[in-house]
Amino acid sequence: MSVTITRTRRYTAVQKAAFAVGAVFLLVGILGFIPGITTNYDMLQGAGHHSGAQLLGIFNVSVLHNIVHLIFGVAGLLLARAVNTARGYLIGGGVIYLVLWLYGLVIDRESQANFIPVNTADNWLHFVLGAAMIALGVLLTRRTAVTSDTAVPRTTR
């Protein structure tokens, strides 16, 4: 007689969110290398503010920028496997994007410091991404405490 054990794995909301965010970053990294979706593709450079390529005609990109999106995407897919790492990916990644937002606000965009490269649209997207990722990481792992008001009373006989 053979016994078959079937395990179903349920993913938590934070794991699903980390997976979705990672998938979007992976997609964005791929799209950054596709002419037509990336306008001025012939102006795509390795790094720096001289890259004239723009994803969707809005967001400045370079080869470095696209590779970072690919790496960030793969990291999200891998870290979504466990609750703690999914939470860490969302919160840590959100912090990185908020720092990138601040960096984009203070640098001279025509200087060598703009190595990513970033423009105004990138800056505000980085802010929204950072805030959203942190919110997802925190809110989707928040535990609600059971208080005496909500506890189910026991009956004794």
Side-chain angles (χ1 to χ4, degrees), residues 108-145:
D108 175 7
R109 292 197 193 130
E110 297 303 317
S111 73
Q112 294 295 344
N114 191 8
F115 66 94
I116 297 172
V118 294
N119 61 14
T120 301
D122 287 304
N123 285 341
W124 291 106
L125 179 62
H126 293 155
F127 172 75
V128 170
L129 281 171
M133 288 175 72
I134 290 170
L136 286 170
V138 170
L139 296 175
L140 295 179
T141 55
R142 217 174 60 193
R143 301 210 187 260
T144 52

PDB file of all heavy atoms in Angstrom, residues 108-145:
ATOM      1  N   ASP A 108      22.826  67.545  -8.435  1.00  0.00           N
ATOM      2  CA  ASP A 108      22.751  68.297  -9.679  1.00  0.00           C
ATOM      3  C   ASP A 108      22.598  67.258 -10.790  1.00  0.00           C
ATOM      4  O   ASP A 108      23.472  66.420 -10.990  1.00  0.00           O
ATOM      5  CB  ASP A 108      24.039  69.116  -9.869  1.00  0.00           C
ATOM      6  CG  ASP A 108      24.094  69.832 -11.208  1.00  0.00           C
ATOM      7  OD1 ASP A 108      23.094  69.826 -11.961  1.00  0.00           O
ATOM      8  OD2 ASP A 108      25.155  70.405 -11.497  1.00  0.00           O
ATOM      9  N   ARG A 109      21.479  67.300 -11.490  1.00  0.00           N
ATOM     10  CA  ARG A 109      21.181  66.266 -12.487  1.00  0.00           C
ATOM     11  C   ARG A 109      22.124  66.285 -13.680  1.00  0.00           C
ATOM     12  O   ARG A 109      22.171  65.337 -14.445  1.00  0.00           O
ATOM     13  CB  ARG A 109      19.739  66.397 -12.956  1.00  0.00           C
ATOM     14  CG  ARG A 109      18.780  66.057 -11.844  1.00  0.00           C
ATOM     15  CD  ARG A 109      17.400  65.789 -12.363  1.00  0.00           C
ATOM     16  NE  ARG A 109      16.496  65.775 -11.224  1.00  0.00           N
ATOM     17  CZ  ARG A 109      15.383  66.460 -11.175  1.00  0.00           C
ATOM     18  NH1 ARG A 109      14.995  67.188 -12.190  1.00  0.00           N
ATOM     19  NH2 ARG A 109      14.622  66.398 -10.112  1.00  0.00           N
ATOM     20  N   GLU A 110      22.863  67.354 -13.857  1.00  0.00           N
ATOM     21  CA  GLU A 110      23.811  67.438 -14.967  1.00  0.00           C
ATOM     22  C   GLU A 110      25.227  67.058 -14.537  1.00  0.00           C
ATOM     23  O   GLU A 110      26.157  67.146 -15.323  1.00  0.00           O
ATOM     24  CB  GLU A 110      23.795  68.845 -15.569  1.00  0.00           C
ATOM     25  CG  GLU A 110      22.457  69.220 -16.178  1.00  0.00           C
ATOM     26  CD  GLU A 110      21.994  68.239 -17.251  1.00  0.00           C
ATOM     27  OE1 GLU A 110      22.814  67.822 -18.090  1.00  0.00           O
ATOM     28  OE2 GLU A 110      20.793  67.877 -17.236  1.00  0.00           O
ATOM     29  N   SER A 111      25.376  66.622 -13.286  1.00  0.00           N
ATOM     30  CA  SER A 111      26.707  66.267 -12.789  1.00  0.00           C
ATOM     31  C   SER A 111      26.927  64.758 -12.849  1.00  0.00           C
ATOM     32  O   SER A 111      26.009  63.984 -13.118  1.00  0.00           O
ATOM     33  CB  SER A 111      26.868  66.748 -11.342  1.00  0.00           C
ATOM     34  OG  SER A 111      26.105  65.927 -10.475  1.00  0.00           O
ATOM     35  N   GLN A 112      28.149  64.361 -12.564  1.00  0.00           N
ATOM     36  CA  GLN A 112      28.497  62.942 -12.518  1.00  0.00           C
ATOM     37  C   GLN A 112      27.776  62.214 -11.386  1.00  0.00           C
ATOM     38  O   GLN A 112      27.675  60.989 -11.395  1.00  0.00           O
ATOM     39  CB  GLN A 112      30.014  62.775 -12.362  1.00  0.00           C
ATOM     40  CG  GLN A 112      30.811  63.251 -13.546  1.00  0.00           C
ATOM     41  CD  GLN A 112      30.547  62.426 -14.808  1.00  0.00           C
ATOM     42  OE1 GLN A 112      30.007  61.327 -14.769  1.00  0.00           O
ATOM     43  NE2 GLN A 112      30.917  62.979 -15.946  1.00  0.00           N
ATOM     44  N   ALA A 113      27.269  62.961 -10.413  1.00  0.00           N
ATOM     45  CA  ALA A 113      26.542  62.343  -9.301  1.00  0.00           C
ATOM     46  C   ALA A 113      25.245  61.686  -9.774  1.00  0.00           C
ATOM     47  O   ALA A 113      24.730  60.793  -9.118  1.00  0.00           O
ATOM     48  CB  ALA A 113      26.224  63.387  -8.230  1.00  0.00           C
ATOM     49  N   ASN A 114      24.739  62.104 -10.918  1.00  0.00           N
ATOM     50  CA  ASN A 114      23.514  61.520 -11.471  1.00  0.00           C
ATOM     51  C   ASN A 114      23.880  60.305 -12.319  1.00  0.00           C
ATOM     52  O   ASN A 114      23.622  60.237 -13.505  1.00  0.00           O
ATOM     53  CB  ASN A 114      22.746  62.555 -12.301  1.00  0.00           C
ATOM     54  CG  ASN A 114      21.355  62.086 -12.670  1.00  0.00           C
ATOM     55  OD1 ASN A 114      20.870  61.062 -12.201  1.00  0.00           O
ATOM     56  ND2 ASN A 114      20.706  62.852 -13.530  1.00  0.00           N
ATOM     57  N   PHE A 115      24.494  59.318 -11.697  1.00  0.00           N
ATOM     58  CA  PHE A 115      24.990  58.144 -12.403  1.00  0.00           C
ATOM     59  C   PHE A 115      23.911  57.120 -12.697  1.00  0.00           C
ATOM     60  O   PHE A 115      24.115  56.196 -13.452  1.00  0.00           O
ATOM     61  CB  PHE A 115      26.128  57.490 -11.607  1.00  0.00           C
ATOM     62  CG  PHE A 115      25.680  56.911 -10.290  1.00  0.00           C
ATOM     63  CD1 PHE A 115      25.337  55.586 -10.194  1.00  0.00           C
ATOM     64  CD2 PHE A 115      25.605  57.717  -9.162  1.00  0.00           C
ATOM     65  CE1 PHE A 115      24.922  55.056  -8.980  1.00  0.00           C
ATOM     66  CE2 PHE A 115      25.194  57.199  -7.951  1.00  0.00           C
ATOM     67  CZ  PHE A 115      24.842  55.856  -7.860  1.00  0.00           C
ATOM     68  N   ILE A 116      22.716  57.274 -12.111  1.00  0.00           N
ATOM     69  CA  ILE A 116      21.695  56.225 -12.223  1.00  0.00           C
ATOM     70  C   ILE A 116      21.026  56.193 -13.592  1.00  0.00           C
ATOM     71  O   ILE A 116      20.928  55.088 -14.113  1.00  0.00           O
ATOM     72  CB  ILE A 116      20.682  56.360 -11.078  1.00  0.00           C
ATOM     73  CG1 ILE A 116      21.424  56.136  -9.776  1.00  0.00           C
ATOM     74  CG2 ILE A 116      19.530  55.410 -11.229  1.00  0.00           C
ATOM     75  CD1 ILE A 116      20.641  56.414  -8.543  1.00  0.00           C
ATOM     76  N   PRO A 117      20.551  57.096 -14.260  1.00  0.00           N
ATOM     77  CA  PRO A 117      20.232  58.505 -14.074  1.00  0.00           C
ATOM     78  C   PRO A 117      18.801  58.689 -13.559  1.00  0.00           C
ATOM     79  O   PRO A 117      17.979  57.775 -13.678  1.00  0.00           O
ATOM     80  CB  PRO A 117      20.339  59.059 -15.494  1.00  0.00           C
ATOM     81  CG  PRO A 117      19.866  57.925 -16.337  1.00  0.00           C
ATOM     82  CD  PRO A 117      20.333  56.676 -15.635  1.00  0.00           C
ATOM     83  N   VAL A 118      18.502  59.872 -13.018  1.00  0.00           N
ATOM     84  CA  VAL A 118      17.154  60.176 -12.548  1.00  0.00           C
ATOM     85  C   VAL A 118      16.687  61.505 -13.113  1.00  0.00           C
ATOM     86  O   VAL A 118      17.487  62.372 -13.426  1.00  0.00           O
ATOM     87  CB  VAL A 118      17.060  60.211 -10.999  1.00  0.00           C
ATOM     88  CG1 VAL A 118      17.311  58.842 -10.393  1.00  0.00           C
ATOM     89  CG2 VAL A 118      18.004  61.242 -10.407  1.00  0.00           C
ATOM     90  N   ASN A 119      15.372  61.617 -13.243  1.00  0.00           N
ATOM     91  CA  ASN A 119      14.744  62.880 -13.610  1.00  0.00           C
ATOM     92  C   ASN A 119      13.602  63.122 -12.623  1.00  0.00           C
ATOM     93  O   ASN A 119      13.418  62.340 -11.676  1.00  0.00           O
ATOM     94  CB  ASN A 119      14.279  62.878 -15.072  1.00  0.00           C
ATOM     95  CG  ASN A 119      13.237  61.818 -15.380  1.00  0.00           C
ATOM     96  OD1 ASN A 119      12.634  61.225 -14.485  1.00  0.00           O
ATOM     97  ND2 ASN A 119      13.015  61.568 -16.657  1.00  0.00           N
ATOM     98  N   THR A 120      12.814  64.160 -12.819  1.00  0.00           N
ATOM     99  CA  THR A 120      11.727  64.476 -11.884  1.00  0.00           C
ATOM    100  C   THR A 120      10.729  63.326 -11.781  1.00  0.00           C
ATOM    101  O   THR A 120      10.292  62.971 -10.685  1.00  0.00           O
ATOM    102  CB  THR A 120      11.016  65.776 -12.313  1.00  0.00           C
ATOM    103  OG1 THR A 120      11.993  66.824 -12.333  1.00  0.00           O
ATOM    104  CG2 THR A 120       9.907  66.148 -11.348  1.00  0.00           C
ATOM    105  N   ALA A 121      10.372  62.729 -12.913  1.00  0.00           N
ATOM    106  CA  ALA A 121       9.420  61.615 -12.894  1.00  0.00           C
ATOM    107  C   ALA A 121       9.982  60.440 -12.094  1.00  0.00           C
ATOM    108  O   ALA A 121       9.267  59.818 -11.293  1.00  0.00           O
ATOM    109  CB  ALA A 121       9.080  61.185 -14.315  1.00  0.00           C
ATOM    110  N   ASP A 122      11.275  60.132 -12.287  1.00  0.00           N
ATOM    111  CA  ASP A 122      11.918  59.059 -11.516  1.00  0.00           C
ATOM    112  C   ASP A 122      11.865  59.364 -10.020  1.00  0.00           C
ATOM    113  O   ASP A 122      11.562  58.486  -9.209  1.00  0.00           O
ATOM    114  CB  ASP A 122      13.394  58.907 -11.913  1.00  0.00           C
ATOM    115  CG  ASP A 122      13.578  58.270 -13.263  1.00  0.00           C
ATOM    116  OD1 ASP A 122      13.076  57.166 -13.467  1.00  0.00           O
ATOM    117  OD2 ASP A 122      14.248  58.898 -14.114  1.00  0.00           O
ATOM    118  N   ASN A 123      12.179  60.615  -9.667  1.00  0.00           N
ATOM    119  CA  ASN A 123      12.212  60.990  -8.253  1.00  0.00           C
ATOM    120  C   ASN A 123      10.871  60.729  -7.585  1.00  0.00           C
ATOM    121  O   ASN A 123      10.815  60.146  -6.499  1.00  0.00           O
ATOM    122  CB  ASN A 123      12.592  62.455  -8.083  1.00  0.00           C
ATOM    123  CG  ASN A 123      14.068  62.685  -8.315  1.00  0.00           C
ATOM    124  OD1 ASN A 123      14.871  61.765  -8.256  1.00  0.00           O
ATOM    125  ND2 ASN A 123      14.414  63.913  -8.622  1.00  0.00           N
ATOM    126  N   TRP A 124       9.797  61.168  -8.192  1.00  0.00           N
ATOM    127  CA  TRP A 124       8.488  61.008  -7.554  1.00  0.00           C
ATOM    128  C   TRP A 124       8.015  59.565  -7.601  1.00  0.00           C
ATOM    129  O   TRP A 124       7.340  59.104  -6.680  1.00  0.00           O
ATOM    130  CB  TRP A 124       7.486  61.999  -8.125  1.00  0.00           C
ATOM    131  CG  TRP A 124       7.905  63.367  -7.672  1.00  0.00           C
ATOM    132  CD1 TRP A 124       8.499  64.341  -8.427  1.00  0.00           C
ATOM    133  CD2 TRP A 124       7.873  63.864  -6.326  1.00  0.00           C
ATOM    134  NE1 TRP A 124       8.821  65.414  -7.630  1.00  0.00           N
ATOM    135  CE2 TRP A 124       8.448  65.159  -6.333  1.00  0.00           C
ATOM    136  CE3 TRP A 124       7.419  63.355  -5.110  1.00  0.00           C
ATOM    137  CZ2 TRP A 124       8.569  65.941  -5.191  1.00  0.00           C
ATOM    138  CZ3 TRP A 124       7.548  64.136  -3.974  1.00  0.00           C
ATOM    139  CH2 TRP A 124       8.111  65.401  -4.014  1.00  0.00           C
ATOM    140  N   LEU A 125       8.403  58.835  -8.627  1.00  0.00           N
ATOM    141  CA  LEU A 125       8.098  57.401  -8.643  1.00  0.00           C
ATOM    142  C   LEU A 125       8.846  56.701  -7.513  1.00  0.00           C
ATOM    143  O   LEU A 125       8.286  55.834  -6.833  1.00  0.00           O
ATOM    144  CB  LEU A 125       8.471  56.781  -9.993  1.00  0.00           C
ATOM    145  CG  LEU A 125       8.217  55.283 -10.112  1.00  0.00           C
ATOM    146  CD1 LEU A 125       6.733  54.960  -9.948  1.00  0.00           C
ATOM    147  CD2 LEU A 125       8.748  54.756 -11.428  1.00  0.00           C
ATOM    148  N   HIS A 126      10.089  57.086  -7.278  1.00  0.00           N
ATOM    149  CA  HIS A 126      10.861  56.497  -6.178  1.00  0.00           C
ATOM    150  C   HIS A 126      10.202  56.784  -4.831  1.00  0.00           C
ATOM    151  O   HIS A 126      10.162  55.917  -3.956  1.00  0.00           O
ATOM    152  CB  HIS A 126      12.303  57.009  -6.188  1.00  0.00           C
ATOM    153  CG  HIS A 126      13.084  56.541  -7.366  1.00  0.00           C
ATOM    154  ND1 HIS A 126      14.166  57.221  -7.856  1.00  0.00           N
ATOM    155  CD2 HIS A 126      12.931  55.461  -8.175  1.00  0.00           C
ATOM    156  CE1 HIS A 126      14.659  56.579  -8.901  1.00  0.00           C
ATOM    157  NE2 HIS A 126      13.907  55.503  -9.118  1.00  0.00           N
ATOM    158  N   PHE A 127       9.671  57.990  -4.662  1.00  0.00           N
ATOM    159  CA  PHE A 127       8.974  58.319  -3.413  1.00  0.00           C
ATOM    160  C   PHE A 127       7.741  57.437  -3.233  1.00  0.00           C
ATOM    161  O   PHE A 127       7.537  56.843  -2.170  1.00  0.00           O
ATOM    162  CB  PHE A 127       8.569  59.794  -3.394  1.00  0.00           C
ATOM    163  CG  PHE A 127       7.688  60.133  -2.226  1.00  0.00           C
ATOM    164  CD1 PHE A 127       8.218  60.256  -0.956  1.00  0.00           C
ATOM    165  CD2 PHE A 127       6.321  60.287  -2.394  1.00  0.00           C
ATOM    166  CE1 PHE A 127       7.407  60.538   0.138  1.00  0.00           C
ATOM    167  CE2 PHE A 127       5.505  60.573  -1.313  1.00  0.00           C
ATOM    168  CZ  PHE A 127       6.040  60.705  -0.046  1.00  0.00           C
ATOM    169  N   VAL A 128       6.922  57.339  -4.272  1.00  0.00           N
ATOM    170  CA  VAL A 128       5.692  56.529  -4.188  1.00  0.00           C
ATOM    171  C   VAL A 128       6.033  55.056  -3.949  1.00  0.00           C
ATOM    172  O   VAL A 128       5.418  54.397  -3.099  1.00  0.00           O
ATOM    173  CB  VAL A 128       4.832  56.712  -5.455  1.00  0.00           C
ATOM    174  CG1 VAL A 128       3.688  55.713  -5.506  1.00  0.00           C
ATOM    175  CG2 VAL A 128       4.292  58.135  -5.530  1.00  0.00           C
ATOM    176  N   LEU A 129       7.024  54.535  -4.670  1.00  0.00           N
ATOM    177  CA  LEU A 129       7.440  53.145  -4.480  1.00  0.00           C
ATOM    178  C   LEU A 129       7.931  52.905  -3.056  1.00  0.00           C
ATOM    179  O   LEU A 129       7.564  51.915  -2.426  1.00  0.00           O
ATOM    180  CB  LEU A 129       8.554  52.780  -5.458  1.00  0.00           C
ATOM    181  CG  LEU A 129       8.153  52.464  -6.882  1.00  0.00           C
ATOM    182  CD1 LEU A 129       9.393  52.345  -7.761  1.00  0.00           C
ATOM    183  CD2 LEU A 129       7.336  51.194  -6.934  1.00  0.00           C
ATOM    184  N   GLY A 130       8.784  53.792  -2.572  1.00  0.00           N
ATOM    185  CA  GLY A 130       9.323  53.628  -1.221  1.00  0.00           C
ATOM    186  C   GLY A 130       8.229  53.627  -0.172  1.00  0.00           C
ATOM    187  O   GLY A 130       8.181  52.739   0.692  1.00  0.00           O
ATOM    188  N   ALA A 131       7.344  54.598  -0.240  1.00  0.00           N
ATOM    189  CA  ALA A 131       6.261  54.675   0.745  1.00  0.00           C
ATOM    190  C   ALA A 131       5.332  53.473   0.639  1.00  0.00           C
ATOM    191  O   ALA A 131       4.925  52.893   1.655  1.00  0.00           O
ATOM    192  CB  ALA A 131       5.483  55.980   0.545  1.00  0.00           C
ATOM    193  N   ALA A 132       5.004  53.075  -0.583  1.00  0.00           N
ATOM    194  CA  ALA A 132       4.090  51.943  -0.775  1.00  0.00           C
ATOM    195  C   ALA A 132       4.708  50.628  -0.299  1.00  0.00           C
ATOM    196  O   ALA A 132       4.039  49.811   0.345  1.00  0.00           O
ATOM    197  CB  ALA A 132       3.683  51.835  -2.244  1.00  0.00           C
ATOM    198  N   MET A 133       5.984  50.434  -0.596  1.00  0.00           N
ATOM    199  CA  MET A 133       6.633  49.188  -0.178  1.00  0.00           C
ATOM    200  C   MET A 133       6.723  49.096   1.345  1.00  0.00           C
ATOM    201  O   MET A 133       6.462  48.036   1.923  1.00  0.00           O
ATOM    202  CB  MET A 133       8.022  49.079  -0.814  1.00  0.00           C
ATOM    203  CG  MET A 133       7.975  48.795  -2.308  1.00  0.00           C
ATOM    204  SD  MET A 133       9.599  48.809  -3.082  1.00  0.00           S
ATOM    205  CE  MET A 133      10.285  47.287  -2.421  1.00  0.00           C
ATOM    206  N   ILE A 134       7.082  50.199   1.991  1.00  0.00           N
ATOM    207  CA  ILE A 134       7.141  50.182   3.455  1.00  0.00           C
ATOM    208  C   ILE A 134       5.754  49.932   4.028  1.00  0.00           C
ATOM    209  O   ILE A 134       5.583  49.116   4.947  1.00  0.00           O
ATOM    210  CB  ILE A 134       7.739  51.495   3.990  1.00  0.00           C
ATOM    211  CG1 ILE A 134       9.236  51.565   3.646  1.00  0.00           C
ATOM    212  CG2 ILE A 134       7.536  51.621   5.505  1.00  0.00           C
ATOM    213  CD1 ILE A 134       9.891  52.902   3.911  1.00  0.00           C
ATOM    214  N   ALA A 135       4.752  50.594   3.480  1.00  0.00           N
ATOM    215  CA  ALA A 135       3.376  50.398   3.967  1.00  0.00           C
ATOM    216  C   ALA A 135       2.953  48.944   3.804  1.00  0.00           C
ATOM    217  O   ALA A 135       2.378  48.356   4.732  1.00  0.00           O
ATOM    218  CB  ALA A 135       2.418  51.326   3.222  1.00  0.00           C
ATOM    219  N   LEU A 136       3.251  48.331   2.660  1.00  0.00           N
ATOM    220  CA  LEU A 136       2.898  46.927   2.454  1.00  0.00           C
ATOM    221  C   LEU A 136       3.610  46.028   3.462  1.00  0.00           C
ATOM    222  O   LEU A 136       2.993  45.138   4.054  1.00  0.00           O
ATOM    223  CB  LEU A 136       3.250  46.488   1.034  1.00  0.00           C
ATOM    224  CG  LEU A 136       2.365  46.992  -0.085  1.00  0.00           C
ATOM    225  CD1 LEU A 136       2.984  46.684  -1.444  1.00  0.00           C
ATOM    226  CD2 LEU A 136       0.969  46.397   0.026  1.00  0.00           C
ATOM    227  N   GLY A 137       4.903  46.257   3.647  1.00  0.00           N
ATOM    228  CA  GLY A 137       5.669  45.430   4.581  1.00  0.00           C
ATOM    229  C   GLY A 137       5.185  45.538   6.013  1.00  0.00           C
ATOM    230  O   GLY A 137       5.138  44.549   6.737  1.00  0.00           O
ATOM    231  N   VAL A 138       4.799  46.733   6.413  1.00  0.00           N
ATOM    232  CA  VAL A 138       4.342  46.940   7.796  1.00  0.00           C
ATOM    233  C   VAL A 138       2.897  46.489   7.969  1.00  0.00           C
ATOM    234  O   VAL A 138       2.576  45.712   8.871  1.00  0.00           O
ATOM    235  CB  VAL A 138       4.502  48.429   8.200  1.00  0.00           C
ATOM    236  CG1 VAL A 138       3.819  48.711   9.525  1.00  0.00           C
ATOM    237  CG2 VAL A 138       5.970  48.797   8.267  1.00  0.00           C
ATOM    238  N   LEU A 139       2.030  46.966   7.108  1.00  0.00           N
ATOM    239  CA  LEU A 139       0.599  46.694   7.289  1.00  0.00           C
ATOM    240  C   LEU A 139       0.221  45.242   7.058  1.00  0.00           C
ATOM    241  O   LEU A 139      -0.688  44.728   7.719  1.00  0.00           O
ATOM    242  CB  LEU A 139      -0.228  47.601   6.374  1.00  0.00           C
ATOM    243  CG  LEU A 139      -0.122  49.095   6.670  1.00  0.00           C
ATOM    244  CD1 LEU A 139      -0.883  49.901   5.622  1.00  0.00           C
ATOM    245  CD2 LEU A 139      -0.608  49.411   8.068  1.00  0.00           C
ATOM    246  N   LEU A 140       0.903  44.569   6.154  1.00  0.00           N
ATOM    247  CA  LEU A 140       0.538  43.181   5.865  1.00  0.00           C
ATOM    248  C   LEU A 140       1.104  42.188   6.867  1.00  0.00           C
ATOM    249  O   LEU A 140       0.796  41.007   6.801  1.00  0.00           O
ATOM    250  CB  LEU A 140       0.966  42.809   4.442  1.00  0.00           C
ATOM    251  CG  LEU A 140       0.256  43.574   3.327  1.00  0.00           C
ATOM    252  CD1 LEU A 140       0.779  43.146   1.966  1.00  0.00           C
ATOM    253  CD2 LEU A 140      -1.255  43.399   3.416  1.00  0.00           C
ATOM    254  N   THR A 141       1.926  42.654   7.788  1.00  0.00           N
ATOM    255  CA  THR A 141       2.458  41.754   8.817  1.00  0.00           C
ATOM    256  C   THR A 141       2.051  42.187  10.217  1.00  0.00           C
ATOM    257  O   THR A 141       2.535  41.640  11.196  1.00  0.00           O
ATOM    258  CB  THR A 141       3.999  41.676   8.736  1.00  0.00           C
ATOM    259  OG1 THR A 141       4.539  42.988   8.806  1.00  0.00           O
ATOM    260  CG2 THR A 141       4.439  40.986   7.474  1.00  0.00           C
ATOM    261  N   ARG A 142       1.181  43.173  10.269  1.00  0.00           N
ATOM    262  CA  ARG A 142       0.709  43.642  11.571  1.00  0.00           C
ATOM    263  C   ARG A 142      -0.173  42.582  12.210  1.00  0.00           C
ATOM    264  O   ARG A 142      -1.039  42.027  11.561  1.00  0.00           O
ATOM    265  CB  ARG A 142      -0.096  44.924  11.364  1.00  0.00           C
ATOM    266  CG  ARG A 142       0.088  45.934  12.423  1.00  0.00           C
ATOM    267  CD  ARG A 142      -0.612  47.191  12.087  1.00  0.00           C
ATOM    268  NE  ARG A 142      -2.040  46.928  11.927  1.00  0.00           N
ATOM    269  CZ  ARG A 142      -2.893  47.761  11.393  1.00  0.00           C
ATOM    270  NH1 ARG A 142      -2.484  48.909  10.944  1.00  0.00           N
ATOM    271  NH2 ARG A 142      -4.167  47.463  11.292  1.00  0.00           N
ATOM    272  N   ARG A 143       0.048  42.320  13.444  1.00  0.00           N
ATOM    273  CA  ARG A 143      -0.780  41.345  14.162  1.00  0.00           C
ATOM    274  C   ARG A 143      -1.776  42.097  15.025  1.00  0.00           C
ATOM    275  O   ARG A 143      -1.440  43.082  15.655  1.00  0.00           O
ATOM    276  CB  ARG A 143       0.076  40.456  15.049  1.00  0.00           C
ATOM    277  CG  ARG A 143       1.113  39.694  14.264  1.00  0.00           C
ATOM    278  CD  ARG A 143       1.403  38.400  14.952  1.00  0.00           C
ATOM    279  NE  ARG A 143       2.516  37.730  14.311  1.00  0.00           N
ATOM    280  CZ  ARG A 143       2.369  36.750  13.445  1.00  0.00           C
ATOM    281  NH1 ARG A 143       1.183  36.329  13.122  1.00  0.00           N
ATOM    282  NH2 ARG A 143       3.413  36.176  12.911  1.00  0.00           N
ATOM    283  N   THR A 144      -2.985  41.605  15.048  1.00  0.00           N
ATOM    284  CA  THR A 144      -3.993  42.225  15.904  1.00  0.00           C
ATOM    285  C   THR A 144      -4.051  41.467  17.217  1.00  0.00           C
ATOM    286  O   THR A 144      -4.129  40.248  17.247  1.00  0.00           O
ATOM    287  CB  THR A 144      -5.383  42.202  15.232  1.00  0.00           C
ATOM    288  OG1 THR A 144      -5.660  40.871  14.822  1.00  0.00           O
ATOM    289  CG2 THR A 144      -5.428  43.120  14.031  1.00  0.00           C
ATOM    290  N   ALA A 145      -3.966  42.200  18.271  1.00  0.00           N
ATOM    291  CA  ALA A 145      -3.986  41.596  19.601  1.00  0.00           C
ATOM    292  C   ALA A 145      -5.429  41.320  20.010  1.00  0.00           C
ATOM    293  O   ALA A 145      -6.333  42.089  19.727  1.00  0.00           O
ATOM    294  CB  ALA A 145      -3.343  42.539  20.605  1.00  0.00           C
TER     295      ALA A 145
END
